[in-house]
Each structure stands twice: as C-alpha cells, then as structure tokens.
C-alpha cells in the first residue's frame, strides 16, 4: 500500500464538473489500494477575484492579516466541496484548513514560510480509511493568526505535507501533461520530459518556468520528496522529478538539454560610468536589496583603461523597476557615476540541462541559433547546468522557438494544453 499526496491546481477544480472529475480520480486511486491525502488550490480564478474585491473595498495598502483571512478562504471553499464530492462516491472524506493540518508558519503575512508541519489529524483520517483534503497555500502563524504562503503556494503545501507524512510520491496535477522542453503555449512542438533531476527543475522554476512553485521544488530537494507532475485531464504518465539521485552513468544517457525556460517580465538597470574602486558594486547592489528588490542577473564590464570607470547592469522584476531606479539614483551624486539607465520589457531565455556539464559546445550552439534568428544578446550568465541570455522582450518567443529547434527538441505532435493560462 502506497501513501500518495495528490495536489490539484485551480484549473483542475474550476467548477462543479471539474470537482466531480477530481473526486472520481481520488476515489479510484484510493480504491486501488492507496492511502490518499489531497491538497487543493482555490477554484479557477478565485484568488484573483478576491484580490479584486479587496481592492474595491480598500484601494491601496490593506491590513496584511485580513488579506490572509480573505485569500485563505478560496482554498477552504475547494476543500469542502471536494470532500462532499468524494462522500457522494461513498468514500469518507474530511477537509482540513492549513491550521488544522498542522501547517505552522512564521508571521510574515502574504509570504509566510513553513516552520513546522504536524499533520496528526490528516494521518488519523488516512488510518481510518478516509481521504484527507488539505487547503493549500495557508497555515497558522506562531501568533495563531492565519497566514498564506504567497501566490502559487499550494505546491509548497503539497510537498511539505508529503514530506511530513513520508509519502511515497507527491503528485502535482495540472492542465498540461507534465514538464515540457519549453512552454507548450509558445512552442507547440515542445516535448514532454519523462524524467528530470531536481537540480534541473530548480533551474527551470527559478528562471521562469511556471509549472511548479520554486519554493516547492526547493522543499522537495531538501526533504527528498519524489514529484510526479501530470495532467488531471488525462491518465497519461507525466514527468518524474528525481531527487537524491547521484549523477552517475545512467544519467549520462540523458539528453544534454532538458528544457528551455523563459521569463518575459524583467527590466534592466545600468549604472553608467561608476568610478572603478573596491566597494562600488556592493554599494549599488546593497541599495537595491535594501529597497526590497531582488536582483537577478548582474554584469559589470571591464573598466576602460584611461577613464577608470565601469558600467554595472542588472536585471530585476519589471514591477520593481521604479523602486530600484530610485534607489540607484539616490547614490549617483555621492558615488559620482554618470547616469542611470532603465529598460523595461527585457526577456530572458534559459537553456537547462545536466548533460551540458560535460559538453562544451552548448554555449556556441545557443549563440549561433540566436544569431541566425536575428536576436541580439544583451547579457549572458551561466551556472553549471544552465546558460541564460537577456534579449529584447519582443524577440523572446521567437528566440525560444529557434533555440528549441536548434537543439533538436521539437516533437512530431503538438503538445496538448487542456486549460489555464500557464500562470
Ligand atoms: N490560490 C493561490 C494562488 O492562486 C495558491 C495556489 O493556487 O497555489 O496563488
Ligand atoms: Mg498554481
């Protein structure tokens, strides 16, 4: 008998019919001889709708505690309805809020982090032969207030629950058949990846792939939770994400490239003509960090010999552009640099693959493919298993398709997208 955590995202429980389909799937899985705990997201666009209503009631900043009370309600609706739908099929089911499921968090409303997971009531329900359903994306703080984990946080709830229950697998049900070599909404010829390492998945999630919440992937790596990402709209096998597996001979058989992630929501700041002396980068980057903005890629050019100045460029979420520009401008007079430039609408393409470690030709092939597609590269950064380039946002989708083809990732048949927006 296996213990499974099955997590269903918003598009999988968007209305009553979808809810009944999920109930059938859960019941079939349990009847096949498994213990099943379920984690659900809010139905369809419920979280966005709640945010809109809050904005109508109180434009601008709102009490964070009350926002969490409000947003956590979305998942509570799903869990209760799903419990009823499962009951209807003759299987006992009990729903639990994050607090009831033992999800203890810090008190950072809107982006709480899990501190401790004690799912005693969930375990008791499974031991009694029932299905336990847990509301995703929420917990209870050390001050006993309701918290939420940040947008997309239900994946993290599912992985944390799977870790605490020592589940055999955490299944993430979504609206595509798994992880693809690129977003199938942009590259219809994208290929489903059958298995991928957790390190590659982390790189994909950190660089714009929307399918899994980054924190959930980090949690899965830390607690070695095997993940299976698959569609709730089909019975097809999805993508297995392998944890704790050393990269040995059998991984050498794997493709050099596992996928292409892209991010079209970035901006770029350049501080021009910074006097070349120790501490300059620390000052600029420090000021941006203190403004609460996280920086992505940083490039400093080599200082020109006579001027003794250099330019420092970095990318950041487009939505933080104004805040970060103000923080850098505030340093301009004191540090004596020439100008601060801001470009919105930059895009990032990231090529990810454990196999590129041992393959030196990947970078040149990537740059040649972009050149052939007429895409200008503005910045480059690499890790052991990733190469990222920054380009103009309007070139990004063409760039992704060109690189996908250049690395021979195209499949014969078009990928199926069952619903949702991929966000
Ligand atoms: N309902 C929340 C959101 O939309 C959490 C989730 O779906 O994972 O962000
Ligand atoms: Mg989600």
């Amino acid at each position: 008998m296996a213990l499974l955590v099955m997590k269903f995202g918003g598009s999988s429980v968007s209305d009553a019919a979808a809810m009944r389909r999920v109930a059938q799937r859960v019941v079939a899985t349990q009847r096949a001889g498994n213990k099943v705990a379920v984690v659900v997201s809010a139905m369809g666009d419920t979280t966005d709708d709640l945010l809109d209503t809050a904005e109508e009631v109180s434009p601008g900043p709102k009490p964070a505690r009350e926002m969490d009370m409000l947003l956590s309600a979305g998942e509570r609706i799903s869990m209760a309805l799903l419990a009823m739908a499962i009951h209807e099929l003759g299987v006992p089911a009990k729903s639990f809020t994050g607090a009831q499921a033992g999800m203890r968090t810090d008190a950072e409303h809107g982006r709480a982090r899990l501190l401790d997971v004690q799912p005693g009531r969930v375990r008791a329900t499974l031991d009694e032969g029932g299905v336990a359903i847990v509301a995703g994306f929420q917990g209870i703080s050390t001050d006993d207030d309701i918290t939420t984990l940040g947008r997309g946080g239900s994946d993290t709830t599912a992985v944390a629950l799977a870790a605490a229950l020592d589940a055999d697998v955490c299944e993430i049900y979504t609206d595509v058949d798994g992880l693809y070599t690129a977003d199938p909404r942009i590259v219809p010829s994208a290929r489903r990846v059958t298995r991928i390492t957790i390190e590659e998945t982390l790189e994909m999630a950190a660089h714009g792939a929307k399918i899994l919440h980054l924190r959930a992937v980090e949690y899965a790596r830390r607690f070695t939770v095997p993940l299976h990402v698959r569609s709730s709209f089909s019975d097809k096998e999805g993508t297995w994400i392998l944890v704790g597996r050393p990269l040995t001979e059998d991984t050498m058989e794997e493709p050099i490239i596992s996928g292409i992630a892209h991010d079209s929501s970035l901006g770029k700041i350049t501080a021009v003509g910074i006097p070349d002396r120790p501490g300059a980068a620390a000052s600029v980057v420090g000021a941006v960090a203190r403004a609460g903005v996280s920086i992505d890629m940083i490039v400093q050019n080599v200082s020109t010999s006579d001027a003794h100045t250099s330019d420092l460029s970095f990318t950041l979420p487009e939505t933080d552009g104004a805040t970060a520009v103000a923080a850098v401008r505030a340093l301009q007079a004191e540090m004596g640099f020439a100008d601060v430039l801001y470009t919105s609408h930059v895009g990032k393409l990231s090529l990810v693959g454990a196999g590129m470690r041992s393959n030196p030709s990947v970078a040149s092939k990537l740059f040649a493919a972009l050149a052939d597609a007429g895409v200008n590269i503005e910045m480059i950064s690499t890790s052991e298993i990733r190469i990222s380039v920054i380009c103009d946002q309007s070139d990004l989708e063409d760039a992704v398709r060109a690189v996908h083809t250049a690395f021979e990732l195209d499949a014969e048949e078009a990928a199926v997208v069952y619903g949702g927006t991929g966000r």
Side-chain angles (χ1 to χ4, degrees), residues 91-102:
V91 171
K94 254 189 208 165
S95 64
F96 297 99
T97 63
Q100 289 174 314

Side-chain angles (χ1 to χ4, degrees), residues 41-42 47 75 137 151-154:
S41 288
T47 309
E75 271 68 11
F137 158 72
R151 297 304 306 270
S154 297

Side-chain angles (χ1 to χ4, degrees), residues 7-10 40-48 71 74-75 136-137 150-156 213:
K7 182 261 170 177
F8 294 92
V40 277
S41 288
M43 296 170 71
D45 299 326
T46 302
T47 309
D48 289 324
L71 296 186
E75 271 68 11
F137 158 72
R151 297 304 306 270
S154 297
D155 289 343
T156 302
H213 203 221

